[in-house]
Amino acid sequence: MTRCVVFTLSTETFDDLVRREFCRPPDQGLLALARSPDVDVLYVVDPWRSVISELARRRWPRRRSRVDLSGRQIVRIRPLRLRFSDPTNLRASERCYRRLDRLLRRLASESKTEMTSLVSYHPLVGGHCGHSWADARVFVARDDWAAAPRKRPYWPLYRDAYGRIARQCTAVFAVSAELAERVAPGAGQTLPNGVDDLLWSNDLSDTNPMSVERYAVYSGSIEARLDLDLVDRILTVIPDLVLAGPVMTAELRAELLRRPGVHLTGHLDQRTLAAVTRGAAVGVVPHRVTSMTAAMSPLKMFEYLAAGIPVVATDLPGIREARHLSDRVWLCQEAGQWDEALRSALLAGSASVAERRRVLDEVSWRRRLSPLVEAATNGPA
């Protein structure tokens, strides 16, 4: 049987995936499908972009092009419209995404394959597109957008889309059990985040770029989920804390720079991030407890364990689900538990090579994403 997969991105474009070295969940999902011998035709569809915005930048992107990905050619599609952002009105959103659905239908039709599948990481594509043309309809939730502060105007649309996704998709995945229950109660499957086993299994020969020798590390985007009170507690036990990622607001950056011992690296390429992580004494996840963080899958925790360093984290459902991976994980329900947990983690030290290999085997993207590829290529049971 010949198979076509139409893969739609959420907020980022294919160019964004390339720039960040395919380090996030949708990026790896696309790679997994590109590497599958069961996928004969693969389209990657960018999110809507405004034609006015593109013209203002004095560029007119090709709406269709061929790109190389993981040793094969796939087709990239760039949908264009007049408006800059998605409408917040339900009926307008339905019209907007039904229009996109007609484009996706044409792509599937021209592939001339025996089976067509839609794989989407965007809730409005999953819920407001009709996608009756697809034999398999797969949705993957990476975050609860209906709880994301930055997306508050769209919360009613996302909640409506979740209900439709649960009814009309043949497979629904989410990065945590908590999120799976929010999107498709009783039907969603957990598909946790993972790591690039080739990158994290290497003992990098690069010199650690950090100028401090004994430090804690927090990796990822630096935003409101970071609990600054917990940052202060960490600094009382470990005088240096490396925040390895971009700071999302100027206000938060200013707050962090007021704290002696905080080191801001900005965006790091993946190889440098691995070197910085491996050089740390402990990896930390000092998150606030919110509806958003409760639904997350701890990608950074998997990277810490792959690097062989112990972990101290806020006790959140997604992190609790992954605690079985190592006995070098300390979860804190209260702020007062952090001091002792950090000291215990420092005493535990780094994991053995054998333990690192065991963790990597379980959390590698290759293993974690196999259910997604199966759902997209085999269709509904």
Side-chain angles (χ1 to χ4, degrees), residues 99-124:
R99 178 184 164 200
L100 180 64
D101 189 62
R102 291 193 289 272
L103 168 61
L104 304 184
R105 179 192 293 272
R106 289 197 297 272
L107 296 177
S109 176
E110 72 181 34
S111 72
K112 301 188 184 304
T113 53
E114 297 168 275
M115 175 183 174
T116 57
S117 301
L118 170 70
V119 175
S120 180
Y121 281 74
H122 195 311
L124 298 184

CSV table of all heavy atoms in Angstrom, one decimal, residues 99-124:
chain,number,residue,atom,x,y,z
A,99,ARG,N,-11.1,26.6,4.9
A,99,ARG,CA,-10.3,27.0,3.7
A,99,ARG,C,-9.0,26.3,3.7
A,99,ARG,O,-8.6,25.8,2.6
A,99,ARG,CB,-10.1,28.5,3.8
A,99,ARG,CG,-9.3,29.0,2.6
A,99,ARG,CD,-9.1,30.5,2.7
A,99,ARG,NE,-8.1,31.0,1.8
A,99,ARG,CZ,-7.4,32.1,2.0
A,99,ARG,NH1,-7.6,32.9,3.0
A,99,ARG,NH2,-6.5,32.5,1.1
A,100,LEU,N,-8.3,26.2,4.8
A,100,LEU,CA,-7.1,25.4,4.8
A,100,LEU,C,-7.3,23.9,4.5
A,100,LEU,O,-6.5,23.3,3.8
A,100,LEU,CB,-6.4,25.5,6.2
A,100,LEU,CG,-5.1,24.8,6.4
A,100,LEU,CD1,-4.0,25.4,5.4
A,100,LEU,CD2,-4.6,24.9,7.8
A,101,ASP,N,-8.4,23.4,5.0
A,101,ASP,CA,-8.8,22.0,4.8
A,101,ASP,C,-8.9,21.7,3.3
A,101,ASP,O,-8.5,20.6,2.8
A,101,ASP,CB,-10.0,21.7,5.5
A,101,ASP,CG,-10.3,20.2,5.5
A,101,ASP,OD1,-9.5,19.4,6.0
A,101,ASP,OD2,-11.4,19.8,4.9
A,102,ARG,N,-9.5,22.7,2.5
A,102,ARG,CA,-9.6,22.5,1.1
A,102,ARG,C,-8.2,22.3,0.4
A,102,ARG,O,-8.0,21.5,-0.5
A,102,ARG,CB,-10.4,23.6,0.5
A,102,ARG,CG,-11.9,23.6,0.9
A,102,ARG,CD,-12.7,24.5,0.0
A,102,ARG,NE,-12.4,25.9,0.3
A,102,ARG,CZ,-13.0,26.6,1.2
A,102,ARG,NH1,-13.9,26.1,2.0
A,102,ARG,NH2,-12.7,27.9,1.4
A,103,LEU,N,-7.2,23.1,0.9
A,103,LEU,CA,-5.9,23.0,0.4
A,103,LEU,C,-5.3,21.6,0.7
A,103,LEU,O,-4.7,21.0,-0.1
A,103,LEU,CB,-5.0,24.1,1.0
A,103,LEU,CG,-3.5,24.0,0.8
A,103,LEU,CD1,-3.1,24.0,-0.7
A,103,LEU,CD2,-2.7,25.1,1.6
A,104,LEU,N,-5.5,21.2,2.0
A,104,LEU,CA,-5.0,19.9,2.4
A,104,LEU,C,-5.6,18.7,1.6
A,104,LEU,O,-5.0,17.8,1.2
A,104,LEU,CB,-5.2,19.6,3.9
A,104,LEU,CG,-4.7,20.7,4.8
A,104,LEU,CD1,-5.0,20.3,6.3
A,104,LEU,CD2,-3.2,21.0,4.6
A,105,ARG,N,-6.9,18.9,1.3
A,105,ARG,CA,-7.6,17.9,0.5
A,105,ARG,C,-7.0,17.8,-0.9
A,105,ARG,O,-6.8,16.7,-1.5
A,105,ARG,CB,-9.1,18.2,0.3
A,105,ARG,CG,-9.9,17.2,-0.5
A,105,ARG,CD,-11.3,17.8,-0.8
A,105,ARG,NE,-12.1,17.9,0.4
A,105,ARG,CZ,-12.8,17.0,0.9
A,105,ARG,NH1,-12.9,15.8,0.2
A,105,ARG,NH2,-13.5,17.1,1.9
A,106,ARG,N,-6.6,18.9,-1.5
A,106,ARG,CA,-6.0,18.9,-2.8
A,106,ARG,C,-4.6,18.2,-2.8
A,106,ARG,O,-4.3,17.5,-3.7
A,106,ARG,CB,-5.9,20.3,-3.4
A,106,ARG,CG,-7.2,21.0,-3.8
A,106,ARG,CD,-6.9,22.2,-4.7
A,106,ARG,NE,-6.2,23.3,-4.0
A,106,ARG,CZ,-6.8,24.2,-3.2
A,106,ARG,NH1,-8.1,24.2,-3.1
A,106,ARG,NH2,-6.0,25.1,-2.7
A,107,LEU,N,-3.9,18.5,-1.7
A,107,LEU,CA,-2.6,17.8,-1.6
A,107,LEU,C,-2.7,16.3,-1.5
A,107,LEU,O,-2.0,15.6,-2.2
A,107,LEU,CB,-1.9,18.3,-0.3
A,107,LEU,CG,-1.5,19.8,-0.3
A,107,LEU,CD1,-0.9,20.1,1.1
A,107,LEU,CD2,-0.6,20.2,-1.4
A,108,ALA,N,-3.7,15.9,-0.7
A,108,ALA,CA,-3.9,14.4,-0.6
A,108,ALA,C,-4.3,13.8,-1.9
A,108,ALA,O,-3.9,12.7,-2.3
A,108,ALA,CB,-4.9,14.2,0.5
A,109,SER,N,-5.2,14.5,-2.7
A,109,SER,CA,-5.7,14.0,-3.9
A,109,SER,C,-4.6,13.9,-5.0
A,109,SER,O,-4.5,12.9,-5.7
A,109,SER,CB,-6.8,14.9,-4.4
A,109,SER,OG,-7.2,14.5,-5.7
A,110,GLU,N,-3.7,14.9,-5.0
A,110,GLU,CA,-2.7,14.9,-6.0
A,110,GLU,C,-1.6,13.8,-5.8
A,110,GLU,O,-0.8,13.5,-6.6
A,110,GLU,CB,-2.0,16.2,-6.2
A,110,GLU,CG,-1.1,16.7,-5.1
A,110,GLU,CD,-0.6,18.1,-5.3
A,110,GLU,OE1,-1.3,18.9,-5.9
A,110,GLU,OE2,0.6,18.3,-4.9
A,111,SER,N,-1.5,13.3,-4.5
A,111,SER,CA,-0.5,12.3,-4.2
A,111,SER,C,-0.7,11.0,-4.9
A,111,SER,O,0.2,10.2,-5.1
A,111,SER,CB,-0.4,12.1,-2.7
A,111,SER,OG,-1.6,11.4,-2.2
A,112,LYS,N,-2.0,10.7,-5.2
A,112,LYS,CA,-2.4,9.5,-5.9
A,112,LYS,C,-1.9,8.2,-5.1
A,112,LYS,O,-1.5,7.3,-5.7
A,112,LYS,CB,-1.9,9.5,-7.3
A,112,LYS,CG,-2.4,10.7,-8.1
A,112,LYS,CD,-2.1,10.5,-9.6
A,112,LYS,CE,-2.5,11.8,-10.4
A,112,LYS,NZ,-4.0,12.1,-10.2
A,113,THR,N,-2.0,8.3,-3.8
A,113,THR,CA,-1.6,7.2,-3.0
A,113,THR,C,-2.9,6.4,-2.5
A,113,THR,O,-4.0,7.0,-2.6
A,113,THR,CB,-0.8,7.6,-1.8
A,113,THR,OG1,-1.5,8.6,-1.1
A,113,THR,CG2,0.6,8.1,-2.2
A,114,GLU,N,-2.7,5.2,-2.0
A,114,GLU,CA,-3.8,4.4,-1.6
A,114,GLU,C,-4.4,4.8,-0.3
A,114,GLU,O,-5.5,4.6,0.1
A,114,GLU,CB,-3.4,2.9,-1.6
A,114,GLU,CG,-3.1,2.4,-3.0
A,114,GLU,CD,-2.4,1.1,-2.9
A,114,GLU,OE1,-1.2,1.0,-2.7
A,114,GLU,OE2,-3.1,0.0,-3.1
A,115,MET,N,-3.5,5.4,0.6
A,115,MET,CA,-3.9,5.9,1.9
A,115,MET,C,-3.4,7.3,2.1
A,115,MET,O,-2.3,7.6,1.8
A,115,MET,CB,-3.4,4.9,3.0
A,115,MET,CG,-3.7,5.4,4.4
A,115,MET,SD,-3.0,4.3,5.6
A,115,MET,CE,-3.4,5.2,7.1
A,116,THR,N,-4.3,8.1,2.7
A,116,THR,CA,-3.8,9.5,3.1
A,116,THR,C,-4.1,9.7,4.6
A,116,THR,O,-5.1,9.3,5.1
A,116,THR,CB,-4.6,10.5,2.3
A,116,THR,OG1,-6.0,10.4,2.5
A,116,THR,CG2,-4.3,10.4,0.8
A,117,SER,N,-3.1,10.4,5.2
A,117,SER,CA,-3.2,10.7,6.6
A,117,SER,C,-2.9,12.2,6.9
A,117,SER,O,-2.1,12.8,6.2
A,117,SER,CB,-2.2,9.8,7.4
A,117,SER,OG,-2.4,8.5,7.2
A,118,LEU,N,-3.6,12.7,7.9
A,118,LEU,CA,-3.3,14.0,8.4
A,118,LEU,C,-2.7,13.8,9.8
A,118,LEU,O,-3.2,13.1,10.7
A,118,LEU,CB,-4.6,14.8,8.6
A,118,LEU,CG,-4.5,16.2,9.3
A,118,LEU,CD1,-3.6,17.2,8.5
A,118,LEU,CD2,-5.8,16.7,9.7
A,119,VAL,N,-1.5,14.5,10.0
A,119,VAL,CA,-0.9,14.5,11.3
A,119,VAL,C,-0.8,16.0,11.7
A,119,VAL,O,-0.1,16.8,11.0
A,119,VAL,CB,0.5,13.8,11.4
A,119,VAL,CG1,1.1,14.0,12.7
A,119,VAL,CG2,0.3,12.4,11.0
A,120,SER,N,-1.4,16.4,12.8
A,120,SER,CA,-1.4,17.9,13.1
A,120,SER,C,-1.0,18.1,14.6
A,120,SER,O,-1.4,17.3,15.5
A,120,SER,CB,-2.7,18.5,12.9
A,120,SER,OG,-2.7,19.9,13.2
A,121,TYR,N,-0.2,19.1,14.8
A,121,TYR,CA,0.1,19.6,16.2
A,121,TYR,C,-0.7,20.9,16.5
A,121,TYR,O,-0.4,21.5,17.5
A,121,TYR,CB,1.6,19.8,16.3
A,121,TYR,CG,2.4,18.6,16.5
A,121,TYR,CD1,2.6,17.7,15.5
A,121,TYR,CD2,3.0,18.3,17.7
A,121,TYR,CE1,3.4,16.5,15.6
A,121,TYR,CE2,3.7,17.2,17.9
A,121,TYR,CZ,4.0,16.3,16.9
A,121,TYR,OH,4.7,15.1,17.1
A,122,HIS,N,-1.6,21.3,15.7
A,122,HIS,CA,-2.3,22.5,15.9
A,122,HIS,C,-3.8,22.2,16.2
A,122,HIS,O,-4.5,21.6,15.4
A,122,HIS,CB,-2.3,23.4,14.6
A,122,HIS,CG,-2.7,24.8,14.8
A,122,HIS,ND1,-3.9,25.2,15.4
A,122,HIS,CD2,-2.2,26.0,14.4
A,122,HIS,CE1,-4.0,26.5,15.4
A,122,HIS,NE2,-3.0,27.0,14.8
A,123,PRO,N,-4.3,22.6,17.4
A,123,PRO,CA,-5.6,22.2,17.8
A,123,PRO,C,-6.7,22.7,16.8
A,123,PRO,O,-7.8,22.1,16.7
A,123,PRO,CB,-5.8,22.8,19.2
A,123,PRO,CG,-4.7,23.8,19.3
A,123,PRO,CD,-3.6,23.4,18.5
A,124,LEU,N,-6.5,23.9,16.2
A,124,LEU,CA,-7.6,24.4,15.3
A,124,LEU,C,-7.6,23.7,14.0
A,124,LEU,O,-8.6,23.5,13.4
A,124,LEU,CB,-7.4,25.9,15.1
A,124,LEU,CG,-7.5,26.8,16.4
A,124,LEU,CD1,-7.4,28.3,16.0
A,124,LEU,CD2,-8.8,26.5,17.1
